[in-house]
Amino acid sequence: MSRDELALRYGCNPHQTPAHVRMNDGRLPFRVVHGQPGYINLLDALNSWQLVKELSAAVCLPAAASFKHVSPAGAAVGLPLREELAQAYFVEDLDLSPLACAYARARGADRMSSLGDWIALSDRVDLSCAQLIRREVSHGIIAPGFDEAAIPILSSKLGGSYVLIEIDPSYEPGAMETREVFGITFQQCRNDRPIAVNLLSDVVTQNRELPDTAKRDMLVALVALKYTQSNSVCFAVEGQIIGMGAGQQSRIHCTRLAGEKADKWWLRQHPAVRALLFEEGLRRPERDNAIDLFLTEGITPTEQTILDAAFRQQPERLTADQRSQWLDRLSGVVLGSDAYIPFRDNIDRAVRSGARYIVQPGGSLRDEDVIGACNEYGIAMVFSGLRLFHH
């Protein structure tokens, strides 16, 4: 096929063949460096590339995203990792470049969900980042380029079938986008409103203090939400997503899901968790599963058997008081919502996961109730005025 069309292995499912992507006018803005991408690979690749490109531009740092099923499991910018965080992400033995730090953070947000992810990187893939990715289970990468030393490391993954896609960073699509559903053509103006700091000027609460770190994390949250299947709510801190609640029909369910993930992200950094002694040869996904079970209350006997087999000696589980005391230390977290927050129950739940700053469009009939709840907790809340539904 020509550069304006690319054959795919199959569509969403193996029985959906043939499948391909094409440009109606001009060449595809990417080339396949290695492997053969599938339909869902390219949906993840093109959505995630938009996220990291926009996030890097908004924050002026390298950006990375870990995508699963057309939503980010994690997204982050390239800030150095604290020692505790490096241990929780299993990267304390690596010398990480800023781009590698971004991916370690993106992957570390929700390591269970990131298993078998699609990776997007805002910058050219360097050796440090390739060495990190080599250790993780993923399916492919989209980036504006690859250093020569990175290609053989990455192309050898998955028995040589790992997918590398190089995208033209200057490519911009047209103003209108088109899709077909059930034989019917939909068309709309592309969501090209940039996420920038000017969206953060309308602080509606008594607490109006927004430190630069909070503004940065609000931008991280908003960019991530822009490319997440709606409804969606996310928690962000330290330049990264720490909990994403995507694709739920109820906003409180989004908040609960994102909050549970944020809690586990923080609990992974507990000294007792970082001190766990795994069985020799236990693979990284199995360690992630064991930690998740270790931090899950009320596991089944089968899950307990898995847990028993993961450790050299059975560790003492965290007590309710230990969990509570540790979670109370999580603070300074941003909650972002892709549409207005309809009830104060979202605020009550967010506070339990360290939320001290909130960014949402506003516009609910109960805005005053939500603002009142924020005032009770001393939360600073911004109305961005911009809804970010994505379907």
Side-chain angles (χ1 to χ4, degrees), residues 54-67:
E54 185 163 358
L55 181 54
S56 181
V59 183
C60 298
L61 287 169
S66 171
F67 254 60

Side-chain angles (χ1 to χ4, degrees), residues 41-63:
N41 290 155
L42 279 179
L43 286 175
D44 281 338
L46 297 176
N47 274 277
S48 60
W49 166 248
Q50 294 176 78
L51 190 162
V52 298
K53 181 182 180 182
E54 185 163 358
L55 181 54
S56 181
V59 183
C60 298
L61 287 169

Side-chain angles (χ1 to χ4, degrees), residues 319-338:
T319 67
D321 284 344
Q322 287 174 318
R323 293 171 66 95
S324 178
Q325 290 170 13
W326 185 256
L327 288 172
D328 284 346
R329 297 174 59 178
L330 178 59
S331 187
V333 174
V334 164
L335 177 140
S337 179
D338 66 351

Side-chain angles (χ1 to χ4, degrees), residues 67 130 184 274 373 383 387:
F67 254 60
I184 298 167
R274 291 187 285 114
F383 280 0
R387 195 177 80 173

